Amino acid sequence: MKAYVFPGQGAQFVGMGKDLYENNEEARALFEKANEILGFRITDLMFNGTEDDLKQTKVTQPAIFLHSVLLAKSLGDEFKPDMVAGHSLGEFSALVAAGALSFEEGLKLVAKRAQAMQKACEAQPSTMAAVLALPDEKVEEICKNIDEIVAPANYNCPGQLVISGSMEGIDKACEKLLEAGAKRALKLKVGGAFHSPLMQPAQEELAEAIEAAEFKTPVCPVYQNVDAKPHSDPAEIKENLIKQLTAPVKWTQDVEAMIANGADEFIELGPGNVLQGLVKKINRNVTTSGMQ
């Protein structure tokens, strides 16, 4: 069975989506529509901008969403997913690709999400760190015993967990994690503590927009980040999408659940190949491929 997966923030690169724009008429029209909806020419930044341009959250998130969704659309009738999932931001791409959300509504929500997250980051300096080669339970326990806001944010694959929190919380946690035997506890170059309680203000802002958007039943189950379970009910999908901003991304569990339910081929749609690498670390026996 085929599982299509969609990457999150960090996968962007200069020139992303340019081939699609030049060679696919439908994609070109939707790129231009996106420029209109966003109120700036995101295509200029995607195709010819600098890495710093693309790193801005308000650019990164819609850029990755556009690239991923338009790749799915470019497949036409060949896009026949048995299941889909996306990593963090990629969940929005997955929902649009699977027909749960329209292209326009998906893009508006992603733009809103990016702005709300940017605002939350500016309100309180915070960060994230990647922890390598320590059991998840040990990382959870150490985070719990720190008297600052610090929590697991991304369960990427066995032995790779990203934590999120206040600057002081992350510094203290990194020290304790290294003492406990982590191979690395490396601070990431990100704008803030994504998928942590510090994203509460962004969650409240986004919740309103998600509630107002029209969600439909997707063409296949969508495995969501908050509970790593397949969902097709629009009300449940909305609720999980709202929770996603302050909850950890259960990517390892997502992939394991898809495999348990029959997925043996994972196809990554969007920039980079990070998810293919993570899927292989979770289970070597499945096949992986990608389009970018």
Side-chain angles (χ1 to χ4, degrees):
M1 291 173 86
K2 280 185 184 180
Y4 282 87
V5 293
F6 298 84
Q9 209 161 328
Q12 69 276 3
F13 62 89
V14 176
M16 58 191 278
K18 198 173 180 184
D19 285 356
L20 266 176
Y21 185 92
E22 287 172 351
N23 302 313
N24 185 304
E25 220 168 293
E26 186 194 3
R28 189 172 8 223
L30 289 172
F31 268 127
E32 289 301 344
K33 188 178 247 184
N35 287 335
E36 263 173 60
I37 290 170
L38 294 169
F40 66 95
R41 289 195 62 79
I42 192 166
T43 47
D44 292 351
L45 299 175
M46 286 170 73
F47 307 159
N48 307 307
T50 64
E51 272 182 37
D52 283 343
D53 289 335
L54 279 183
K55 265 187 203 152
Q56 300 172 70
T57 293
K58 67 168 191 180
V59 177
T60 315
Q61 294 198 21
I64 291 172
F65 166 85
L66 281 170
H67 192 176
S68 297
V69 167
L70 296 182
L71 277 170
K73 284 188 181 296
S74 75
L75 290 172
D77 294 340
E78 278 177 49
F79 183 67
K80 287 197 179 85
D82 295 301
M83 50 192 91
V84 295
H87 190 290
S88 185
L89 158 75
E91 192 159 288
F92 287 81
S93 311
L95 287 166
V96 172
L101 256 180
S102 73
F103 172 78
E104 291 81 359
E105 293 235 61
L107 179 59
K108 284 175 189 168
L109 286 180
V110 165
K112 180 84 177 165
R113 181 182 191 265
Q115 283 158 1
M117 285 168 81
Q118 186 85 40
K119 219 186 290 180
C121 293
E122 284 161 9
Q124 185 170 357
S126 54
T127 191
M128 300 173 85
V131 184
L132 301 184
L134 210 58
D136 291 350
E137 300 73 28
K138 191 69 190 163
V139 179
E140 290 162 356
E141 184 197 320
I142 287 170
C143 288
K144 213 175 282 178
N145 291 319
I146 284 169
D147 57 355
E148 287 275 335
I149 291 178
V150 57
N154 298 341
Y155 292 82
N156 282 335
C157 65
Q160 191 192 119
L161 205 167
V162 175
I163 58 172
S164 203
S166 65
M167 294 293 198
E168 206 178 326
I170 291 290
D171 283 340
K172 285 183 183 174
C174 285
E175 206 176 302
K176 293 255 186 294
L177 289 159
L178 289 168
E179 279 169 19
K183 196 193 272 183
R184 290 177 90 177
L186 186 72
K187 280 210 275 193
L188 301 178
K189 291 177 182 168
V190 290
F194 304 144
H195 300 289
S196 82
L198 291 170
M199 283 291 122
Q200 190 68 41
Q203 185 182 53
E204 285 163 18
E205 211 175 308
L206 188 62
E208 219 173 295
I210 287 173
E211 287 296 355
E214 188 195 347
F215 282 70
K216 294 178 180 152
T217 305
V219 297
C220 65
V222 179
Y223 284 69
Q224 292 191 271
N225 292 168
V226 293
D227 62 2
K229 289 179 180 160
H231 292 278
S232 293
D233 176 74
E236 282 176 15
I237 288 172
K238 272 189 180 190
E239 200 182 315
N240 289 331
L241 212 48
I242 291 167
K243 287 179 188 165
Q244 197 223 55
L245 264 191
T246 55
V249 171
K250 295 182 173 174
W251 186 251
T252 302
Q253 298 88 330
D254 257 335
V255 173
E256 286 171 345
M258 288 191 278
I259 292 168
N261 290 331
D264 53 11
E265 186 183 348
F266 284 78
I267 301 146
E268 182 173 7
L269 294 184
N273 53 12
V274 170
L275 298 185
Q276 292 170 65
L278 295 180
V279 169
K280 278 291 191 195
K281 283 179 182 157
I282 295 163
N283 190 317
R284 294 181 164 280
N285 302 320
V286 295
T287 60
T288 58
S289 60
M291 272 179 76
Q292 54 174 312

